[in-house]
């Protein structure tokens, strides 16, 4: 009888999307902490965990032109850095998306990336073509200056709709309001610890 674990040595790719314009912004700090947890899990995991960081502000991603080429072909006509991001989004086994709240939604950098995922919407709903077959999960990380938790309602909806076209289950979110100045999130020791633990123990 073969008792070997089929997951053993299988590559498991965690794709982390940094949506803040700031390198050490609050959401970037949270996402870094999450990845530190993932890196710690790697030591004890039987899976071959790989981490891919996508820093949106460093990429050249044009907004969607609404040319509807993807409705016809399933492909995007714009040949920029998004072509590489498509590949990573398809390959991901776990997706972590981080963005500050800007005018009640996600950052402009991230929104451009999300709108370019219209090709995945076309593939799923117009072409009825399932190009992503593996089961995967994802989380959303966000901070906002506002005192109200409701401020995350809109960005959560945006991320849920992104995850829907990518066949990613929305596992949970880590959202913190009353976080405005750079580094404010570091004062919330529980938040930093919780997200680390989640990366280490619960993400897989
Ligand atoms: C352009 C801009 C728009 C913002 N809009 C909102 C908003 O609508 N609601 C809110 O609560 N905070 C808003 N903020 C505050 C940010 O969400 C907050 O400072 C957040 O912690 C920044 O995260 P980051 O450091 O990861 O970039 C805005 C900040 C900027 C720069």
């Amino acid at each position: 009888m073969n008792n070997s674990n089929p997951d053993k040595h299988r590559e498991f790719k965690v794709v982390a999307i940094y949506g803040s314009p700031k390198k050490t912004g609050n959401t970037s700090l949270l996402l870094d902490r999450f990845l530190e947890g993932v890196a710690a899990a790697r030591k004890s995991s039987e899976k071959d965990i790989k981490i891919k960081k996508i820093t949106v502000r460093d990429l050249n991603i044009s907004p969607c032109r609404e040319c509807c080429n993807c409705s016809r072909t399933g492909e995007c006509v714009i040949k920029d850095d998004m072509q590489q991001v498509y590949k990573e989004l398809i390959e991901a086994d776990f997706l972590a998306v981080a963005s500050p709240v800007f005018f009640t939604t996600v950052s402009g950098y991230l929104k451009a990336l999300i709108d370019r995922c219209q090709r995945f919407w076309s593939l799923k709903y117009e072409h009825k073509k399932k190009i992503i077959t593996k089961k995967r999960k994802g989380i959303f990380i966000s901070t906002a200056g506002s005192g109200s938790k409701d401020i995350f309602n809109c960005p959560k909806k945006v991320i849920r709709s992104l995850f829907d076209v990518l066949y990613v289950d929305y596992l949970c979110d880590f959202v913190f309001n009353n976080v405005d100045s750079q580094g404010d999130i570091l004062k919330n020791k529980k938040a930093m610890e919780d997200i680390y633990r989640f990366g280490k123990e619960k993400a897989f």
Side-chain angles (χ1 to χ4, degrees):
M1 196 165 74
N2 183 2
N3 287 326
S4 64
N5 179 350
D7 275 351
K8 203 169 179 174
H9 306 312
R10 187 178 81 80
E11 188 177 296
F12 188 94
K13 197 167 194 178
V14 176
V15 173
I17 299 185
Y18 288 75
S20 173
K22 286 186 187 160
K23 192 171 181 207
T24 53
N26 293 303
T27 51
S28 306
L29 292 167
L30 283 163
L31 187 49
D32 283 344
R33 195 72 185 125
F34 166 72
L35 292 180
E36 281 169 28
V38 172
R42 188 194 264 152
K43 289 178 194 138
S44 54
S45 176
E46 292 196 322
K47 289 176 187 159
D48 176 18
I49 301 171
K50 296 267 189 299
I51 293 172
K52 175 70 190 177
K53 294 184 185 183
I54 296 176
T55 306
V56 190
R57 67 174 177 278
D58 291 343
L59 302 179
N60 172 27
I61 298 178
S62 297
C64 172
R65 291 182 195 157
E66 209 182 349
C67 65
C68 300
N69 183 72
C70 57
S71 294
R72 291 184 292 275
T73 67
E75 301 291 337
C76 181
V77 284
I78 309 173
K79 302 299 175 215
D80 60 8
D81 291 341
M82 194 62 200
Q83 296 297 333
Q84 185 57 30
V85 175
Y86 289 141
K87 187 174 162 291
E88 300 296 345
L89 291 175
I90 291 166
E91 285 178 11
D93 293 287
F94 192 96
L95 189 60
V97 181
S99 172
V101 173
F102 280 0
F103 282 84
T104 73
T105 186
V106 296
S107 73
Y109 284 108
L110 183 61
K111 190 61 167 56
L113 182 154
I114 292 171
D115 289 352
R116 292 284 299 284
C117 288
Q118 178 67 6
R119 74 162 283 230
F120 291 118
W121 184 91
S122 286
L123 283 165
K124 184 172 182 179
Y125 293 109
E126 295 181 307
H127 297 262
K128 315 273 184 230
K129 203 168 159 188
K130 194 168 181 187
I131 63 159
I132 299 160
T133 49
K134 53 183 165 184
K135 276 192 160 292
R136 62 248 188 100
K137 293 177 181 154
I139 58 169
F140 175 47
I141 294 168
S142 189
T143 60
S146 165
S148 163
K149 269 263 176 196
D150 290 351
I151 196 69
F152 298 107
N153 290 354
C154 171
K156 280 186 197 178
K157 263 192 177 176
V158 172
I159 300 299
R160 278 188 187 279
S161 96
L162 170 70
F163 283 8
D164 173 69
V165 298
L166 293 174
Y167 301 90
V168 171
D169 282 345
Y170 190 106
L171 189 55
C172 62
D173 42 59
F174 294 84
V175 296
F176 304 95
N177 58 331
N178 278 321
V179 177
D180 216 2
S181 302
Q182 187 152 357
D184 261 1
I185 194 65
L186 296 173
K187 294 180 203 152
N188 188 340
K189 302 246 180 306
K190 185 174 174 334
M192 298 304 283
E193 181 58 22
D194 285 353
I195 203 157
Y196 172 81
R197 281 200 177 284
F198 180 85
K200 192 174 172 195
E201 294 164 8
K202 303 263 172 61
F204 317 109

